[in-house]
Amino acid sequence: QVQLVESGGGLVQAGGSLRLSCKASDKIISMNDMGWYRQAPGEERDLVAAITVGGTTTYADSVAGRFTISRDIFQGTVYLQMNSLKPEDTGVYHCNLVYPDGSTKWGQGTQVTVSS
């Protein structure tokens, strides 16, 4: 069964940068849409950025211009480069894979904390 493992979270001051990684257990990211979601304490899990099989990217309005989603098909990894971080970016970031039949796979998440 495919596993998604996130890494790269941590504590950073406002204005700083982090790069999150989502490593798939096999090279499936080229065949499925992928996304990054954020879940703040007490809130629902919201889409931050997504990349389709064809490479089209979309972003939440709150992160557009600051975050960049990308992928390395040969490494089986999806990245989220986060710049100009704000305290409201704090949360657990989860990697998500969408299969063609609409079913999904989630990673365990990585904590991002932005201090003011």
Side-chain angles (χ1 to χ4, degrees):
Q1 189 174 7
V2 173
Q3 299 294 321
L4 301 176
V5 179
E6 301 98 331
S7 62
L11 173 64
V12 64
Q13 288 188 332
S17 298
L18 286 173
R19 189 176 81 155
L20 306 184
S21 299
C22 172
K23 174 73 173 175
S25 56
D26 64 33
K27 290 180 172 60
I28 60 170
I29 65 169
S30 63
M31 297 182 286
N32 299 279
D33 296 344
M34 303 287 296
W36 284 98
Y37 286 70
R38 175 176 64 225
Q39 187 164 24
E43 297 186 13
E44 295 185 352
R45 195 173 293 186
D46 293 324
L47 178 66
V48 173
I51 184 166
T52 68
V53 171
T56 300
T57 58
T58 56
Y59 299 92
D61 289 343
S62 61
V63 307
R66 299 188 297 122
F67 290 12
T68 302
I69 187 171
S70 63
R71 63 185 178 184
D72 184 330
I73 294 172
F74 298 102
Q75 296 293 327
T77 302
V78 176
Y79 302 98
L80 185 67
Q81 178 67 44
M82 306 187 295
N83 299 328
S84 302
L85 282 161
K86 303 175 181 180
E88 51 264 45
D89 295 321
T90 294
V92 178
Y93 283 71
H94 295 269
C95 181
N96 170 264
L97 179 153
V98 182
Y99 290 103
D101 66 359
S103 62
T104 61
K105 180 73 178 179
W106 293 94
Q108 83 289 348
T110 185
Q111 176 71 46
V112 171
T113 303
V114 185
S115 63
S116 56

